[in-house]
mmCIF file of all heavy atoms in Angstrom:
data_model
loop_
_atom_site.group_PDB
_atom_site.id
_atom_site.type_symbol
_atom_site.label_atom_id
_atom_site.label_comp_id
_atom_site.label_asym_id
_atom_site.label_seq_id
_atom_site.Cartn_x
_atom_site.Cartn_y
_atom_site.Cartn_z
ATOM 1 N N MET F 3 155.422 110.577 74.301
ATOM 2 C CA MET F 3 154.647 109.974 75.396
ATOM 3 C C MET F 3 155.610 109.545 76.506
ATOM 4 O O MET F 3 156.621 108.945 76.274
ATOM 5 C CB MET F 3 153.856 108.772 74.885
ATOM 6 C CG MET F 3 153.087 108.052 75.974
ATOM 7 S SD MET F 3 151.985 106.755 75.360
ATOM 8 C CE MET F 3 152.781 106.186 73.892
ATOM 9 N N LEU F 21 134.853 115.913 70.327
ATOM 10 C CA LEU F 21 133.407 115.999 70.128
ATOM 11 C C LEU F 21 132.966 117.450 70.144
ATOM 12 O O LEU F 21 133.434 118.259 70.962
ATOM 13 C CB LEU F 21 132.684 115.246 71.237
ATOM 14 C CG LEU F 21 132.787 113.720 71.255
ATOM 15 C CD1 LEU F 21 132.096 113.153 72.489
ATOM 16 C CD2 LEU F 21 132.188 113.110 69.990
ATOM 17 N N ILE F 25 127.182 117.880 70.834
ATOM 18 C CA ILE F 25 127.114 116.471 71.267
ATOM 19 C C ILE F 25 127.290 116.383 72.784
ATOM 20 O O ILE F 25 126.575 115.604 73.466
ATOM 21 C CB ILE F 25 128.198 115.618 70.569
ATOM 22 C CG1 ILE F 25 127.977 115.655 69.050
ATOM 23 C CG2 ILE F 25 128.167 114.191 71.073
ATOM 24 C CD1 ILE F 25 126.671 115.078 68.598
ATOM 25 N N VAL F 33 121.798 113.064 80.851
ATOM 26 C CA VAL F 33 122.071 112.917 82.278
ATOM 27 C C VAL F 33 120.957 113.590 83.089
ATOM 28 O O VAL F 33 120.360 113.032 84.004
ATOM 29 C CB VAL F 33 123.440 113.534 82.649
ATOM 30 C CG1 VAL F 33 123.631 113.544 84.166
ATOM 31 C CG2 VAL F 33 124.564 112.741 81.989
ATOM 32 N N ARG F 43 130.695 120.218 86.547
ATOM 33 C CA ARG F 43 131.356 121.491 86.303
ATOM 34 C C ARG F 43 132.770 121.528 86.830
ATOM 35 O O ARG F 43 133.600 122.335 86.383
ATOM 36 C CB ARG F 43 130.538 122.643 86.909
ATOM 37 C CG ARG F 43 129.144 122.785 86.377
ATOM 38 C CD ARG F 43 128.477 124.065 86.815
ATOM 39 N NE ARG F 43 129.147 125.219 86.246
ATOM 40 C CZ ARG F 43 128.743 126.476 86.419
ATOM 41 N NH1 ARG F 43 127.647 126.707 87.128
ATOM 42 N NH2 ARG F 43 129.394 127.497 85.877
ATOM 43 N N SER F 51 131.896 125.440 81.420
ATOM 44 C CA SER F 51 131.255 126.413 80.534
ATOM 45 C C SER F 51 130.016 125.870 79.856
ATOM 46 O O SER F 51 129.106 126.621 79.502
ATOM 47 C CB SER F 51 132.265 126.927 79.492
ATOM 48 O OG SER F 51 132.654 125.845 78.632
ATOM 49 N N PRO F 54 126.008 124.898 82.194
ATOM 50 C CA PRO F 54 124.901 125.851 82.348
ATOM 51 C C PRO F 54 123.967 125.950 81.149
ATOM 52 O O PRO F 54 122.874 126.480 81.249
ATOM 53 C CB PRO F 54 125.630 127.196 82.591
ATOM 54 C CG PRO F 54 126.933 126.780 83.170
ATOM 55 C CD PRO F 54 127.315 125.531 82.437
ATOM 56 N N VAL F 151 92.474 117.156 89.126
ATOM 57 C CA VAL F 151 91.733 115.891 89.134
ATOM 58 C C VAL F 151 92.291 115.019 90.265
ATOM 59 O O VAL F 151 93.523 114.802 90.341
ATOM 60 C CB VAL F 151 91.841 115.156 87.812
ATOM 61 C CG1 VAL F 151 91.067 113.849 87.841
ATOM 62 C CG2 VAL F 151 91.330 116.038 86.657
ATOM 63 N N ASP F 164 82.326 91.472 99.740
ATOM 64 C CA ASP F 164 80.961 91.324 100.214
ATOM 65 C C ASP F 164 80.204 92.603 99.847
ATOM 66 O O ASP F 164 80.207 93.581 100.595
ATOM 67 C CB ASP F 164 80.932 91.079 101.713
ATOM 68 C CG ASP F 164 79.512 90.776 102.223
ATOM 69 O OD1 ASP F 164 78.552 91.034 101.459
ATOM 70 O OD2 ASP F 164 79.401 90.283 103.343
ATOM 71 N N THR F 166 77.069 93.453 99.769
ATOM 72 C CA THR F 166 76.000 93.842 100.675
ATOM 73 C C THR F 166 76.551 94.564 101.892
ATOM 74 O O THR F 166 76.053 95.599 102.333
ATOM 75 C CB THR F 166 75.190 92.634 101.137
ATOM 76 O OG1 THR F 166 74.695 91.962 99.999
ATOM 77 C CG2 THR F 166 74.036 93.076 102.047
ATOM 78 N N PHE F 172 78.257 101.778 104.426
ATOM 79 C CA PHE F 172 78.866 103.004 103.933
ATOM 80 C C PHE F 172 77.816 104.066 103.670
ATOM 81 O O PHE F 172 76.788 103.801 103.049
ATOM 82 C CB PHE F 172 79.663 102.708 102.648
ATOM 83 C CG PHE F 172 80.349 103.921 102.106
ATOM 84 C CD1 PHE F 172 81.570 104.288 102.606
ATOM 85 C CD2 PHE F 172 79.781 104.682 101.116
ATOM 86 C CE1 PHE F 172 82.227 105.409 102.108
ATOM 87 C CE2 PHE F 172 80.402 105.796 100.626
ATOM 88 C CZ PHE F 172 81.653 106.170 101.119
ATOM 89 N N LEU F 199 107.114 126.784 91.346
ATOM 90 C CA LEU F 199 107.367 126.842 89.903
ATOM 91 C C LEU F 199 107.371 128.282 89.388
ATOM 92 O O LEU F 199 108.173 128.619 88.502
ATOM 93 C CB LEU F 199 106.296 126.043 89.158
ATOM 94 C CG LEU F 199 106.246 124.526 89.413
ATOM 95 C CD1 LEU F 199 105.168 123.874 88.552
ATOM 96 C CD2 LEU F 199 107.588 123.894 89.165
ATOM 97 N N ARG F 237 101.770 138.316 83.570
ATOM 98 C CA ARG F 237 102.864 139.038 84.246
ATOM 99 C C ARG F 237 103.177 140.338 83.506
ATOM 100 O O ARG F 237 103.378 141.384 84.124
ATOM 101 C CB ARG F 237 104.106 138.148 84.269
ATOM 102 C CG ARG F 237 105.343 138.790 84.877
ATOM 103 C CD ARG F 237 106.488 137.795 84.892
ATOM 104 N NE ARG F 237 107.727 138.381 85.350
ATOM 105 C CZ ARG F 237 108.580 139.039 84.563
ATOM 106 N NH1 ARG F 237 108.307 139.181 83.278
ATOM 107 N NH2 ARG F 237 109.685 139.531 85.063
ATOM 108 N N ARG F 291 87.539 122.688 88.827
ATOM 109 C CA ARG F 291 87.882 123.620 87.754
ATOM 110 C C ARG F 291 87.338 125.003 88.133
ATOM 111 O O ARG F 291 86.327 125.119 88.833
ATOM 112 C CB ARG F 291 87.290 123.185 86.413
ATOM 113 C CG ARG F 291 87.852 121.842 85.957
ATOM 114 C CD ARG F 291 87.311 121.458 84.591
ATOM 115 N NE ARG F 291 87.897 122.318 83.537
ATOM 116 C CZ ARG F 291 87.443 122.329 82.284
ATOM 117 N NH1 ARG F 291 86.388 121.615 81.954
ATOM 118 N NH2 ARG F 291 88.022 123.081 81.374
ATOM 119 N N PRO F 292 87.976 126.078 87.677
ATOM 120 C CA PRO F 292 87.501 127.433 87.992
ATOM 121 C C PRO F 292 86.060 127.631 87.536
ATOM 122 O O PRO F 292 85.647 127.142 86.473
ATOM 123 C CB PRO F 292 88.457 128.330 87.202
ATOM 124 C CG PRO F 292 89.703 127.526 87.057
ATOM 125 C CD PRO F 292 89.241 126.096 86.916
ATOM 126 N N LYS F 298 78.542 127.954 84.021
ATOM 127 C CA LYS F 298 77.215 127.885 84.596
ATOM 128 C C LYS F 298 76.149 127.754 83.511
ATOM 129 O O LYS F 298 75.132 127.092 83.661
ATOM 130 C CB LYS F 298 76.934 129.110 85.459
ATOM 131 C CG LYS F 298 77.800 129.197 86.694
ATOM 132 C CD LYS F 298 77.500 130.485 87.481
ATOM 133 C CE LYS F 298 78.375 130.576 88.713
ATOM 134 N NZ LYS F 298 78.121 131.852 89.449
ATOM 135 N N MET F 304 80.336 121.514 79.922
ATOM 136 C CA MET F 304 81.357 121.459 80.973
ATOM 137 C C MET F 304 81.498 120.043 81.505
ATOM 138 O O MET F 304 82.612 119.614 81.810
ATOM 139 C CB MET F 304 80.969 122.411 82.108
ATOM 140 C CG MET F 304 81.091 123.897 81.759
ATOM 141 S SD MET F 304 82.768 124.330 81.160
ATOM 142 C CE MET F 304 83.760 123.916 82.589
ATOM 143 N N VAL F 321 95.412 100.603 86.175
ATOM 144 C CA VAL F 321 94.544 100.469 87.349
ATOM 145 C C VAL F 321 93.743 101.742 87.590
ATOM 146 O O VAL F 321 92.506 101.702 87.641
ATOM 147 C CB VAL F 321 95.385 100.149 88.604
ATOM 148 C CG1 VAL F 321 94.508 100.156 89.841
ATOM 149 C CG2 VAL F 321 96.059 98.795 88.427
ATOM 150 N N ARG F 335 76.704 111.285 91.239
ATOM 151 C CA ARG F 335 77.270 112.623 91.086
ATOM 152 C C ARG F 335 76.943 113.530 92.274
ATOM 153 O O ARG F 335 75.842 113.491 92.823
ATOM 154 C CB ARG F 335 76.696 113.289 89.821
ATOM 155 C CG ARG F 335 77.040 112.553 88.525
ATOM 156 C CD ARG F 335 76.477 113.312 87.338
ATOM 157 N NE ARG F 335 76.698 112.618 86.100
ATOM 158 C CZ ARG F 335 76.384 113.078 84.909
ATOM 159 N NH1 ARG F 335 75.806 114.278 84.827
ATOM 160 N NH2 ARG F 335 76.630 112.387 83.810
#
Side-chain angles (χ1 to χ4, degrees):
M3 177 173 29
L21 291 175
I25 300 298
V33 172
R43 299 191 66 176
S51 65
V151 180
D164 185 345
T166 304
F172 182 83
L199 295 183
R237 177 179 175 274
R291 298 184 72 191
K298 293 178 181 178
M304 289 304 299
V321 174
R335 299 181 184 184

